[in-house]
Amino acid sequence: GRGSEYRSCMEFLERNENDVLTKKDFVEIYTRELRGGKYWGVFYDLYSLGESLEEVHGRFEARFDFCYGSNIHVVETLSVEIPDGICLPCESHPSDHLPVGVKFCVPMVNA
């Protein structure tokens, strides 16, 4: 497992002698996630359980990927579009990380 939510969960499981998470543990795990700015994880977990917050805030959607270069001309940015009503990860997209790409031109340099 990976991620802060997993590590927090394992911390509480190891601390509890009976390997059970309490309601208080769950609240603390999600509080840590929110304090860490990981709103999308909490949103997704609630959404998966049928506790959608869409009527209040809409579906969380953001892109944090960047492509860097120098002396190039960007022709087109490429990204995967997610159809309305799909929340990631899901059966057809097992990750919430999507590829991003750029088509670019590099100027010719005289040799």
Side-chain angles (χ1 to χ4, degrees):
R2 60 182 196 161
S4 56
E5 188 176 358
Y6 174 81
R7 288 189 299 274
S8 291
C9 179
M10 294 308 295
E11 175 188 329
F12 284 104
L13 285 173
E14 289 172 12
R15 186 182 305 167
N16 299 340
E17 293 179 17
N18 55 4
D19 288 334
V20 173
L21 292 174
T22 67
K23 183 177 179 180
K24 182 179 177 183
D25 296 337
F26 275 105
V27 169
E28 178 59 27
I29 290 168
Y30 283 113
T31 299
R32 289 178 182 183
E33 291 297 291
L34 293 171
R35 285 188 181 139
K38 298 179 181 176
Y39 307 107
W40 62 88
V42 176
F43 179 91
Y44 175 77
D45 288 349
L46 290 171
Y47 182 87
S48 296
L49 295 171
E51 298 296 329
S52 177
L53 302 175
E54 290 186 23
E55 42 301 327
V56 178
H57 298 288
R59 181 177 70 172
F60 178 84
E61 186 175 318
R63 297 189 192 258
F64 299 104
D65 296 309
F66 297 92
C67 294
Y68 295 96
S70 58
N71 298 324
I72 63 171
H73 171 72
V74 174
V75 176
E76 180 181 5
T77 53
L78 309 167
S79 62
V80 175
E81 296 301 321
I82 303 302
D84 286 339
I86 299 293
C87 203
L88 300 180
C90 65
E91 190 172 297
S92 60
H93 296 280
S95 176
D96 59 353
H97 297 263
L98 299 172
V100 63
V102 177
K103 285 185 182 179
F104 60 90
C105 293
V106 178
M108 296 293 289
V109 177
N110 292 334

